Amino acid sequence: MGAAQSLGLPPAQGPHQVGCTDVMVGLTRKGLFFRLFYPCLPQEGVEQPLWIPRYEYCRGLAEYADLHWKWCTPLLSVAFGSFRVPVSWNGPFKPCSSKYPLIIFSHGLGAFRTVYSALCAELASRGFLVAALEHRDHSACATYFCKAGDGQPGAPQATLQEEWVLLHRVPAGRKEFHFRNPQVHQRANECVRGLRLFQDIGHGQAVTNILHNDFDLAALKDSVDMTQAAVMGHSFGGATAVLALAKEPGFKCAVALDAWMFPLENALYPKVVKPVLFINTETFQTAESIAKMKQLSSRNSQTKIITMLGSVHQSQTDFTFLAGNLVNTVFQTRGPLDPYKGLAITSRAALAFLQKHLELKEDFDQWNDLLDGIGDSVIPEAPLCLSSL
């Protein structure tokens, strides 16, 4: 398929139908904002949400790509604004007596909460709750929070005011590490707060979604297995997942997609004692980055590093399915590897890893070979040009 594919997100392949909703908690920047993907009950007349939820995200993408936003924002809106996510918006939650495992997902630099919808929906269709955060550390292309109008903490929804948090670039004259390292710590702390929010929800504590969607978070009571929680992310989010794993005992393992290891301080690595699965693309990683991953795999035999051949950094995002030939030529949103095959490798390797380390009673172990880099279009560790360190 490759460039000849029809544009649009693929439907999830698992046994569960998938619903999603947006959740915003708290009236300050220190609250949380995420899109929740979950198994849902079948229903007729399903509404599918837009992939780009607000026009402001198109402007954010233009500014992240360093394009002239006044003319590029409407072009991006035309290119991507009509795509929908093939899930049920606010669909009825499917109760589960055995409870669902939880994944907290962290996006990459310049992304936002919906950029990994194909992967998040696939995982939800396999029986996971997936909370895709939208970080407020100025690394999202754009995001926002709501605050009470006139400073009234108990103000009704009608008086809530939006405040946008825009992408910040590294200031001139400042070393990038000293800018990015505090960001990755804020991101990891948001992942930890996300985990604790689901602890509250699972225990039946009332949690107010100030967006007032037609989805009752109380439906999740007694349906979240907090003993089976993992953290996952792409690029900057991959580094975030590694750091969150070290910070929070409640996370049992992490899946890092093409992790950008640069923002992590060297003192962190001895503290990462639980297993990590690194699923890398062929063209993004450097020898230095792979060496940092190998610091972790040398300490824990359950930490795995694999590479998808024919893939590029955006192969693990939705852009690989949605970008037309022109956009792909400019931004390299996909490589020779078929996007559907790339999604299958990524999701199946993650599922096999999660089954093992969350002790799930599923059949995901059928894909265990992927964890050792065995299979079509996948190799262990890194390509030879990077692995000789």
Side-chain angles (χ1 to χ4, degrees):
M1 297 181 191
Q5 69 183 51
S6 59
L7 301 182
L9 294 179
Q13 300 299 304
H16 300 282
Q17 295 197 29
V18 179
C20 80
T21 192
D22 281 340
V23 178
M24 186 180 290
V25 177
L27 293 175
T28 70
R29 188 180 298 206
K30 293 184 178 181
L32 286 172
F33 188 21
F34 59 89
R35 175 157 289 188
L36 177 64
F37 296 83
Y38 55 88
C40 78
L41 296 171
Q43 62 173 347
E44 295 182 359
V46 169
E47 176 189 357
Q48 295 184 343
L50 286 169
W51 182 65
I52 292 187
R54 299 274 295 268
Y55 186 77
E56 289 87 346
Y57 292 97
C58 292
R59 174 170 177 172
L61 288 172
E63 294 186 338
Y64 171 67
D66 205 18
L67 300 171
H68 193 285
W69 67 266
K70 284 189 177 180
W71 64 263
C72 195
T73 299
L75 291 178
L76 285 171
S77 181
V78 170
F80 296 110
S82 63
F83 288 118
R84 293 187 177 269
V85 184
V87 297
S88 176
W89 180 245
N90 293 325
F93 180 72
K94 183 179 181 180
C96 178
S97 59
S98 60
K99 300 184 179 182
Y100 295 113
L102 173 68
I103 297 171
I104 304 294
F105 194 98
S106 172
H107 64 73
L109 181 64
F112 48 98
R113 68 189 184 280
T114 72
V115 168
Y116 306 88
S117 292
L119 177 59
C120 291
E122 179 63 27
L123 296 171
S125 79
R126 304 286 179 172
F128 288 82
L129 301 176
V130 186
L133 299 183
E134 194 163 280
H135 291 294
R136 292 169 170 173
D137 62 326
H138 297 285
S139 68
C141 73
T143 186
Y144 68 99
F145 65 96
C146 295
K147 58 184 181 180
D150 302 320
Q152 300 299 319
Q157 184 189 18
T159 63
L160 292 182
Q161 298 176 351
E162 293 180 358
E163 184 168 318
W164 283 83
V165 181
L166 304 179
L167 179 79
H168 280 186
R169 298 188 182 277
V170 181
R174 188 171 182 186
K175 291 185 179 295
E176 185 168 16
F177 176 82
H178 297 302
F179 183 74
R180 299 299 184 193
N181 180 256
Q183 283 186 310
V184 77
H185 276 271
Q186 178 177 333
R187 291 163 134 264
N189 290 337
E190 289 174 347
C191 291
V192 171
R193 293 208 307 273
L195 180 74
R196 293 174 181 169
L197 178 70
F198 277 92
Q199 288 175 337
D200 293 340
I201 293 171
H203 291 148
Q205 182 173 324
V207 173
T208 299
N209 181 5
I210 62 175
L211 299 179
H212 294 278
N213 288 336
D214 294 328
F215 181 86
D216 187 0
L217 291 172
L220 304 180
K221 180 184 177 183
D222 299 325
S223 292
V224 187
D225 192 336
M226 299 307 302
T227 69
Q228 297 177 330
V231 60
M232 188 172 185
H234 174 252
S235 194
F236 205 177
T240 303
V242 172
L243 179 56
L245 183 66
K247 283 177 175 276
E248 173 52 53
F251 289 127
K252 299 299 189 294
C253 61
V255 179
L257 308 178
D258 225 13
W260 185 41
M261 304 296 282
F262 171 80
L264 298 175
E265 65 271 24
N266 290 331
L268 168 73
Y269 291 93
K271 301 175 184 177
V272 184
V273 296
K274 287 177 281 190
V276 181
L277 172 62
F278 293 99
I279 308 177
N280 295 331
T281 65
E282 186 174 2
T283 60
F284 178 73
Q285 295 297 332
T286 64
E288 181 183 10
S289 183
I290 295 295
K292 292 179 178 180
M293 297 175 189
K294 286 185 174 181
Q295 285 189 48
L296 301 184
S297 62
S298 67
R299 293 190 180 98
N300 187 335
S301 62
Q302 296 304 308
T303 287
K304 303 290 186 179
I305 307 169
I306 64 173
T307 298
M308 291 195 302
L309 298 178
S311 59
V312 298
H313 195 50
Q314 296 298 329
S315 293
Q316 293 168 324
T317 75
D318 291 345
F319 286 108
T320 198
F321 295 103
L322 303 180
N325 290 338
L326 177 60
V327 175
N328 178 54
T329 300
V330 175
F331 295 107
Q332 198 179 15
T333 58
R334 54 183 171 267
L337 180 66
D338 174 70
Y340 296 89
K341 187 173 184 178
L343 176 61
I345 292 171
T346 299
S347 60
R348 290 172 180 179
L351 289 166
F353 184 80
L354 292 168
Q355 169 155 330
K356 184 173 187 179
H357 297 292
L358 300 183
E359 300 179 355
L360 306 177
K361 296 178 180 179
E362 301 287 349
D363 62 354
F364 307 146
D365 55 350
Q366 65 183 296
W367 300 308
N368 276 352
D369 281 353
L370 290 172
L371 302 180
D372 295 315
I374 300 172
D376 190 25
S377 300
V378 62
I379 60 171
E381 296 193 345
L384 290 176
C385 60
L386 293 180
S387 59
S388 180
L389 300 175

